[in-house]
Amino acid sequence: MSLPIISADERLKETKGIKGCIFGKSGIGKTSLLWTLPAEKTLFFDLEAGDLAIEGWQGDTIRLRTWQDCRDIAAFIGGPNPALRDEQPYSQAHYDAVTAKYGDANNPNNSALDKYDTIFIDSITVAGRLCFNWCKGQPQAFSDKTGKPDTRGAYGLHGQEMIAWLTHLQHTRGKNIWFVGILDEKIDDFNRRFFQPQIEGSKTALELPGIVDQVITMTEMTSPEGKSFRAFICHTINDAGYPAKDRSGRLDLMEEPHLGRLMQKIAGKAKPVAERLTFSIEQDAPASSTPDSQHNNETQGGQE
């Protein structure tokens, strides 16, 4: 048996799906981004029951009501993980069970998902709530000594469940998967403003940027003439401190709030490395810049 090396030509020919999250405050228009996607090739996961904004949209919808539904669909889309034991979610046994329930995803003539290029999950905020409610009923959420509820145990299990779910979907090749979620604006103990995705517990929000390819903030901006407009913020280094990340290296700091055209740009021709990365330090950088911020300036926009 030879080493399973994938040549550069084989890797470049592979169909790559985009995995990303879009965060924004309530009412900014996250669900309405569905209007910018081809309806015949998009599957809408409606966890919020908030589809009034897309009334008349012609795409297909799945309504998930429980955390077990979310895990089953992730296993069906992503296939089995050979590293897991049969009793674990997303294992071969789990995949066999869900394919028996929903159909054979490997049968090109019988797959319910072949027609879709993009999965739009609205929202990761509600998925986190479903997960936490499920976790509170598991044995890990109760004290071994007293039998009383143990909140720390519930949150620990919740973090593990959410990261496993997101990681499994991230490894789904060939399909674009977008999560949307609410972005909270908060003030810290030093009266400084910061932004945080609204997801139950802290582990998921902290580790999410390291899992998905793209993190986008959809926000309201103001033009020099004083007019308000919506925009995508796509670079890690941005003046407002919005959560953002561009693994593709193809996006500008600010992009128009059109998900379809954003995906076309991400899937477009890659920029030469010399244009994607710079290693110079701004000569007029403030003297108070910290070593960390100077290091970030060495890699343009925090791109990976």
Side-chain angles (χ1 to χ4, degrees):
M1 181 179 179
S2 60
L3 285 173
I5 294 175
I6 300 172
S7 69
D9 288 339
E10 292 172 330
R11 179 170 53 81
L12 293 173
K13 289 179 181 177
E14 288 181 337
T15 301
K16 303 179 183 66
I18 303 165
K19 314 298 185 304
C21 293
I22 299 175
F23 293 105
K25 65 182 181 181
S26 296
I28 195 67
K30 299 183 295 297
T31 305
S32 297
L33 291 172
L34 276 168
W35 290 108
T36 70
L37 299 173
E40 69 280 5
K41 291 185 175 297
T42 302
L43 181 60
F44 173 37
F45 281 20
D46 182 13
L47 281 80
E48 288 200 339
D51 57 356
L52 185 61
I54 55 162
E55 187 174 4
W57 182 70
Q58 297 297 311
D60 297 335
T61 302
I62 287 182
R63 295 193 174 104
L64 305 177
R65 302 295 300 275
T66 69
W67 180 240
Q68 189 59 51
D69 289 342
C70 296
R71 294 205 304 184
D72 288 350
I73 290 294
F76 188 63
I77 295 173
N81 182 342
L84 300 176
R85 301 185 302 275
D86 280 350
E87 67 272 20
Q88 293 179 293
Y90 318 117
S91 64
Q92 182 67 53
H94 185 198
Y95 177 72
D96 292 342
V98 296
T99 51
K101 181 179 180 181
Y102 297 125
D104 184 1
N106 289 324
N107 184 345
N109 298 318
N110 192 33
S111 174
L113 299 174
D114 278 352
K115 61 181 287 191
Y116 305 110
D117 292 336
T118 301
I119 309 292
F120 187 91
I121 301 175
D122 186 11
S123 67
I124 191 173
T125 303
V126 175
R129 292 172 188 158
L130 293 176
C131 178
F132 189 60
N133 282 334
W134 179 85
C135 291
K136 287 192 294 185
Q138 302 307 305
Q140 297 94 322
F142 295 89
S143 169
D144 291 335
K145 295 181 179 179
T146 66
K148 294 181 178 179
D150 179 359
T151 304
R152 290 177 301 177
Y155 273 112
L157 179 60
H158 172 264
Q160 296 173 25
E161 282 286 328
M162 286 296 294
I163 296 302
W165 185 63
L166 291 166
T167 302
H168 194 73
L169 288 171
Q170 166 68 18
H171 283 81
T172 304
R173 302 193 70 83
K175 292 196 185 299
N176 309 307
I177 298 180
W178 287 95
F179 305 90
V180 298
I182 297 172
L183 186 65
D184 288 334
E185 180 178 344
K186 297 184 176 181
I187 302 295
D188 68 10
D189 294 340
F190 300 97
N191 204 33
R192 297 175 300 193
R193 185 180 69 162
F194 70 99
F195 298 94
Q196 185 176 49
Q198 189 183 103
I199 306 175
E200 200 73 46
S202 60
K203 182 178 177 66
T204 307
L206 288 173
E207 297 192 19
L208 183 62
I211 297 174
V212 297
D213 302 317
Q214 309 291 138
V215 178
I216 309 291
T217 290
M218 186 176 185
T219 189
E220 179 182 1
M221 305 295 288
T222 304
S223 69
E225 293 77 25
K227 294 182 179 179
S228 296
F229 63 95
R230 297 178 305 156
F232 284 158
I233 304 299
C234 308
H235 285 187
T236 304
I237 298 176
N238 60 81
D239 290 341
Y242 291 120
K245 164 190 169 183
D246 173 29
R247 188 172 277 171
S248 75
R250 296 172 171 87
L251 301 181
D252 294 324
L253 170 63
M254 187 184 301
E255 296 280 355
E256 60 177 338
H258 190 292
L259 186 54
R261 288 200 277 267
L262 189 86
M263 291 168 62
Q264 289 178 2
K265 191 169 184 179
I266 293 171
K269 185 178 180 181
K271 295 179 181 177
V273 174
E275 295 182 17
R276 294 179 59 178
L277 301 173
T278 60
F279 300 94
S280 60
I281 297 176
E282 294 292 338
Q283 296 303 312
D284 57 349
S288 59
S289 293
T290 65
D292 285 345
S293 64
Q294 289 182 3
H295 170 75
N296 290 335
N297 285 336
E298 293 173 1
T299 55
Q300 182 183 13
Q303 297 164 0
E304 295 186 357

